[in-house]
Amino acid sequence: MEASNQIIQIKPWADTDLNLLFQINSPEMMQHLGGPESEEQILKRHKRYLELGDRGRMFSVVALPEYEHVGSVGYWETTWNGESIYETGWSILPGYQGKGIATNAVKLAIDDAASMNKHKYIHAFPSIDNPASNAICRKLHFQLLSECEFEYPPGNFMSCNNWRLSL
């Protein structure tokens, strides 16, 4: 898939992707997500990604032809307002932002989620203070339903936009 002059792939999350989580865990990357996580939290996240099973999928985002791992994208089952949905999220390393990589990676993850024929909707909950992630939702034709309070990480409440896309 073309991202400006950057071709990308998404690859199912693998044990070798742990280092990518540590790269993503910088103050700059985590500013809209409650701040950096501890090493223990990162290791638990990695384990959750590997063990999602049929509840969703996480991917590493790979820039080609260098085969450089530049971020993550995925979707997972959750319950929102009493309804079973997929939620999606993504992180692209700073040196690769602004090149369309995240938009293309999210599109590929949405296509994968749709192919599961499991849920009617996929939602994204970016912080209202994260213009780049909200722009991705607009570009991919998500419908802005409302602002909401979202707990992430546990114990930290943030103001988010609730975007929804029909699968």
Side-chain angles (χ1 to χ4, degrees):
M1 176 167 280
E2 204 53 45
S4 299
N5 293 324
Q6 190 75 56
I7 299 172
I8 67 157
Q9 289 180 341
I10 59 172
K11 298 280 195 182
W13 197 260
D15 202 42
T16 54
D17 292 319
L18 176 60
N19 183 53
L20 183 56
L21 280 184
F22 282 106
Q23 292 176 58
I24 290 169
N25 194 45
S26 70
E28 177 185 10
M29 292 289 297
M30 299 299 288
Q31 71 179 344
H32 298 294
L33 297 171
E37 295 178 308
S38 68
E39 181 175 346
E40 181 184 353
Q41 289 170 310
I42 293 293
L43 294 173
K44 284 181 180 177
R45 174 181 300 281
H46 180 60
K47 187 175 191 286
R48 279 194 316 273
Y49 287 3
L50 290 170
E51 295 175 354
L52 267 173
D54 66 352
R55 297 179 317 275
R57 290 184 73 185
M58 286 303 297
F59 303 93
S60 58
V61 180
V62 180
L64 301 174
E66 304 87 3
Y67 210 77
E68 175 110 16
H69 290 246
V70 300
S72 66
V73 65
Y75 61 92
W76 51 92
E77 290 181 327
T78 191
T79 301
W80 180 252
N81 292 335
E83 182 181 6
S84 185
I85 61 163
Y86 279 134
E87 180 181 343
T88 186
W90 55 89
S91 295
I92 301 297
L93 295 172
Y96 293 88
Q97 293 174 5
K99 300 178 181 188
I101 292 172
T103 302
N104 289 337
V106 173
K107 173 70 172 108
L108 291 172
I110 288 168
D111 291 347
D112 191 82
S115 76
M116 297 296 168
N117 291 316
K118 196 167 183 181
H119 295 288
K120 185 174 180 179
Y121 298 110
I122 191 164
H123 288 246
F125 297 96
S127 166
I128 62 171
D129 298 323
N130 187 337
S133 287
N134 284 287
I136 290 166
C137 292
R138 275 189 299 280
K139 286 179 201 168
L140 294 174
H141 308 290
F142 279 74
Q143 176 187 7
L144 178 58
L145 297 180
S146 65
E147 285 187 17
C148 60
E149 267 214 337
F150 201 78
E151 186 177 11
Y152 187 86
N156 179 60
F157 288 89
M158 53 194 252
S159 294
C160 295
N161 283 322
N162 176 10
W163 294 91
R164 181 180 76 183
L165 183 71
S166 293
L167 295 173

